[in-house]
Amino acid sequence: MVAAAALDAMAGTRWLGLVTAVWVQCISGNNYTFSNYSHALKTLMGLTQLQLNGLSVAKDVGKAFGLLAGLASDRVPTWLLLAIGSLEGLLGYGAQWAVVSGAVPPLPYWQMCVFLCLGGNSTTWMNTAVLVTCIRNFRRSRGPVSGLLKGYVGLSTAIFTDVCSALFADDPASFLVMLAVVPAAVCALAMVFLREGGAAGAAGADEEEDGRCFAAINSLAVAIALYLLAADLTGIGGGGGAVSAVFVAVLLVLLASPGAVPALLAWKSWVKARKAANADLEGADSLAAAAAPLLVSAKAAAAGREEEARGPGERPRLGEEHTIAQALTSMDFWVMFASFLMGVGTGLAVMNNLGQMGVAMGYADVSLFVSMTSIWGFFGRIASGTISEHFIKTRAIPRPLWNAASQVLMAAGYIVMALAVPGSLFIGSVVVGACYGVRLAVTVPTASELFGLKYYGLIYNILILNLPLGSFLFSGLLAGLLYDAEATPVPGGGNTCVGAHCYRLVFLIMALACAVGFGLDVLLSVRTKRVYARIHESKRAAAAQRVS
């Protein structure tokens, strides 16, 4: 009984860490909010679209330095990763606020690039700390964990946008204050509670109880998304005054509500501990429970020794632990990398250019489209993580197949936007947001399943190099050059373009890129069928053992 209570306490610690991670993810999508203040920067600094897109690429280049976070993830504690990320964000977004608010004169272009890069890099430290820690704590639930965490990242843009609209009437300077200060405050809280719970606790967890906890937090996340969606469609959140204050207050209560899950687990652990303290005898079941963590640890240690004993020339199979060199010499890694580039690169081009796309289509305010991209990105992330996990358990369907489906839908979204029919920007923002979310939520656990968790932090950040690369290719070059070719100069510097022709060719080329990505995802699905068949059998065996 004492050992069982101890395991329950460990489970509560893992869940407290996961909920804290959720709160970090709620504020770590600030890198996707550029469209909310990009027009202010363009006007203030007198930039062309190519130059403005250069700034958006600079923020995404910050993610390239996420390799540092990946290297550090196995060498420094989680709290230090969070501290570095929050301080970088405070500096990067704080400098942008100083310029937009007029507190300082416009900085030279290269200095603005540096500060945008710092802001972009800040999220890599937060995301690495959160994903690596939580996936290691929930090894047998990687899909739901990834979908949940990435889902809340998807919501973060809508949270920032709607709160700013409610409290500050979409003022760009106030928005940048939020991007600088709020993440630093949340990360300070997470430094206390987010930590690895140990392999034993993760492996010995009650999967049925885990499933109930995931269902509860997912339900709360869906409630938050629907609340934000209703506020955006009705405009109630931006009404100002008491109505807006109530909207923000209810939103904060909803965001705090996942904390009820670890609180309930802690209460159950306390009840069991009291029963254990009053028990006269500890039976064989207690001894077995006490020995279980030791047995799991021994198995983990044996697996580690087996991995260390593997010769440098021996190539592991997919699904086994890979070193960085082994992963980078695998064709499957580069197929995944290239397909990821097509999806996230084109998605970033839309997110970075929504402000100018809205102006081209005749919209004075694009906050609705930014929020729609965020909210539907959440639905794509959270649904794909859970659904892909379900179909692995029931039918051994390879996870990359869901990425292939998202490429088809994303290509269709780009074609609709190219046609410029009424409402096409709204439809496009929904479709692109959802499919971009699928890409992130599915690729993250896929990488851990194919190449292992030992060097997962670095492997994840190598994949994330697709963000700056895709931003440079599709946003900086493709969208920037083609827009400027259609735009006309304006007095005082810069340029503008109004009409469907401004981005039509951009959308068509991105649809073609998604078609290429579809082929790569299908190829990866075929090549990983055996891996997912083994995972399927493992899950079936574990379920049968629990029943018996």
Side-chain angles (χ1 to χ4, degrees):
M1 297 266 306
V2 173
L7 285 176
D8 285 337
M10 188 179 296
T13 300
R14 290 188 304 125
W15 282 99
L16 179 59
L18 181 65
V19 170
T20 308
V22 161
W23 292 331
V24 172
Q25 296 296 74
C26 284
I27 50 82
S28 63
N30 46 16
N31 200 45
Y32 297 113
T33 62
F34 184 69
S35 290
N36 281 329
Y37 59 92
S38 61
H39 190 67
L41 282 177
K42 183 178 183 181
T43 303
L44 185 68
M45 299 179 67
L47 304 176
T48 66
Q49 187 62 33
L50 184 62
Q51 290 171 324
L52 182 66
N53 283 359
L55 290 180
S56 73
V57 171
K59 75 176 177 60
D60 293 324
V61 165
K63 292 187 177 292
F65 294 99
L67 292 175
L68 298 175
L71 288 169
S73 63
D74 290 323
R75 294 170 173 81
V76 302
T78 302
W79 69 263
L80 185 54
L81 298 176
L82 292 168
I84 294 172
S86 60
L87 289 174
E88 277 195 329
L90 193 62
L91 179 59
Y93 290 105
Q96 294 175 63
W97 163 81
V99 171
V100 171
S101 67
V104 299
L107 299 175
Y109 186 80
W110 71 268
Q111 290 184 16
M112 289 299 296
C113 287
V114 170
F115 286 117
L116 278 148
C117 184
L118 279 175
N121 184 245
S122 68
T123 63
T124 67
W125 294 88
M126 300 176 198
N127 290 336
T128 299
V130 161
L131 284 169
V132 171
T133 302
C134 291
I135 285 183
R136 286 175 178 171
N137 283 349
F138 295 88
R139 293 168 185 258
R140 298 187 65 83
S141 303
R142 301 179 196 184
V145 167
S146 172
L148 180 68
L149 295 178
K150 287 296 182 182
Y152 273 98
V153 173
L155 281 182
S156 64
T157 303
I159 292 169
F160 277 124
T161 301
D162 288 356
V163 170
C164 182
S165 178
L167 299 182
F168 308 114
D170 293 320
D171 175 54
S174 300
F175 188 79
L176 283 163
V177 169
M178 291 174 55
L179 297 187
V181 175
V182 174
V186 175
C187 284
L189 176 66
M191 290 176 208
V192 179
F193 298 110
L194 182 60
R195 62 197 63 190
E196 286 192 35
D206 183 341
E207 288 194 31
E208 290 187 4
E209 184 169 75
D210 278 4
R212 290 192 294 270
C213 292
F214 278 122
I217 299 180
N218 282 338
S219 299
L220 292 170
V222 171
I224 295 169
L226 292 175
Y227 180 70
L228 291 169
L229 183 61
D232 287 332
L233 294 179
T234 61
I236 191 172
V243 174
S244 294
V246 170
F247 162 76
V248 173
V250 173
L251 177 60
L252 292 177
V253 171
L254 288 173
L255 291 173
S257 59
V261 171
L264 179 60
L265 290 174
W267 179 78
K268 290 172 63 177
S269 175
W270 179 78
V271 170
K272 285 189 177 182
R274 281 183 62 94
K275 289 181 180 179
N278 295 329
D280 295 326
L281 295 173
E282 295 183 1
D285 288 344
S286 296
L287 292 175
L294 297 177
L295 179 60
V296 173
S297 297
K299 287 182 178 179
R305 288 193 297 269
E306 180 181 345
E307 175 64 23
E308 290 173 3
R310 188 191 304 275
E314 297 182 48
R315 181 177 296 276
R317 297 186 304 171
L318 282 178
E320 297 178 346
E321 293 289 347
H322 285 60
T323 65
I324 298 301
Q326 289 165 341
L328 294 183
T329 55
S330 167
M331 180 182 122
D332 300 282
F333 179 88
W334 293 109
V335 171
M336 180 191 300
F337 187 93
S339 71
F340 194 44
L341 174 64
M342 301 302 168
V344 300
T346 59
L348 273 175
V350 173
M351 295 178 192
N352 289 340
N353 288 273
L354 262 179
Q356 284 63 51
M357 289 176 181
V359 171
M361 296 293 186
Y363 294 97
D365 182 10
V366 298
S367 60
L368 173 63
F369 306 120
V370 175
S371 191
M372 286 297 102
T373 302
S374 173
I375 292 170
W376 286 95
F378 158 79
F379 285 122
R381 296 171 200 229
I382 202 166
S384 61
T386 302
I387 292 172
S388 64
E389 190 80 11
H390 170 76
F391 280 98
I392 290 173
K393 289 180 180 179
T394 58
R395 300 189 181 181
I397 292 179
R399 216 183 287 270
L401 200 58
W402 300 98
N403 277 339
S406 75
Q407 296 275 27
V408 174
L409 190 57
M410 188 176 266
Y414 292 142
I415 291 173
V416 169
M417 294 170 83
L419 294 174
V421 296
S424 62
L425 193 57
F426 182 89
I427 295 170
S429 63
V430 169
V431 171
V432 170
C435 294
Y436 185 87
V438 171
R439 296 294 318 183
L440 289 175
V442 170
T443 304
V444 166
T446 299
S448 72
E449 288 160 345
L450 299 186
F451 305 109
L453 285 171
K454 188 173 182 180
Y455 298 100
Y456 174 68
L458 186 53
I459 289 173
Y460 165 74
N461 278 286
I462 293 173
L463 282 173
I464 292 302
L465 288 175
N466 273 301
L467 296 180
L469 179 58
S471 179
F472 172 72
L473 293 175
F474 293 103
S475 181
L477 290 183
L478 180 68
L481 289 173
L482 293 183
Y483 178 95
D484 281 348
E486 300 287 346
T488 56
V490 297
N495 58 21
T496 188
C497 181
V498 177
H501 63 285
C502 300
Y503 283 99
R504 178 171 287 128
L505 185 56
V506 175
F507 292 135
L508 293 176
I509 293 174
M510 292 196 302
L512 180 61
C514 286
V516 174
F518 168 78
L520 293 171
D521 285 321
V522 170
L523 174 62
L524 189 62
S525 299
V526 172
R527 290 180 60 84
T528 58
K529 283 180 64 176
R530 292 183 180 179
V531 176
Y532 286 98
R534 292 199 300 270
I535 295 174
H536 169 71
E537 290 302 323
S538 171
K539 290 180 180 292
R540 285 187 58 187
Q545 186 175 8
R546 287 196 303 273
V547 172
S548 63

